[in-house]
Amino acid sequence: MGKYIKKAIPGCLGSSLAVIAVQSFNYLGVWKFWNFLINFLFTFIITTVIVSVCLWLWSKIKRK
């Protein structure tokens, strides 16, 4: 499972940064540093888990 997590990290990092950028532009002046950090970590962890599981399932499907 570790190799799938390593594959998923670059894409999830970029998408998490994009999500945080869009959210910050929607609510200018409201966010503090901790809000950025917590939302980025939450988004990054959730997307990494989902993409890693999808990559793992895809590899299992391709083998059959």
Side-chain angles (χ1 to χ4, degrees), residues 31-41:
W31 287 49
K32 294 183 171 92
F33 175 74
W34 293 111
N35 294 351
F36 284 113
L37 185 63
I38 290 170
N39 283 334
F40 173 77
L41 288 176

Side-chain angles (χ1 to χ4, degrees), residues 4-17 44 48:
Y4 301 111
I5 292 172
K6 288 179 185 176
K7 278 184 165 180
I9 285 177
C12 294
L13 185 63
S15 66
S16 297
L17 288 173
F44 179 71
T48 303

Side-chain angles (χ1 to χ4, degrees), residues 19-58:
V19 166
I20 296 303
V22 168
Q23 286 181 350
S24 66
F25 284 121
N26 283 337
Y27 303 105
L28 285 174
V30 178
W31 287 49
K32 294 183 171 92
F33 175 74
W34 293 111
N35 294 351
F36 284 113
L37 185 63
I38 290 170
N39 283 334
F40 173 77
L41 288 176
F42 181 74
T43 305
F44 179 71
I45 290 169
I46 295 298
T47 56
T48 303
V49 168
I50 290 171
V51 171
S52 298
V53 169
C54 289
L55 288 172
W56 176 73
L57 286 173
W58 185 253

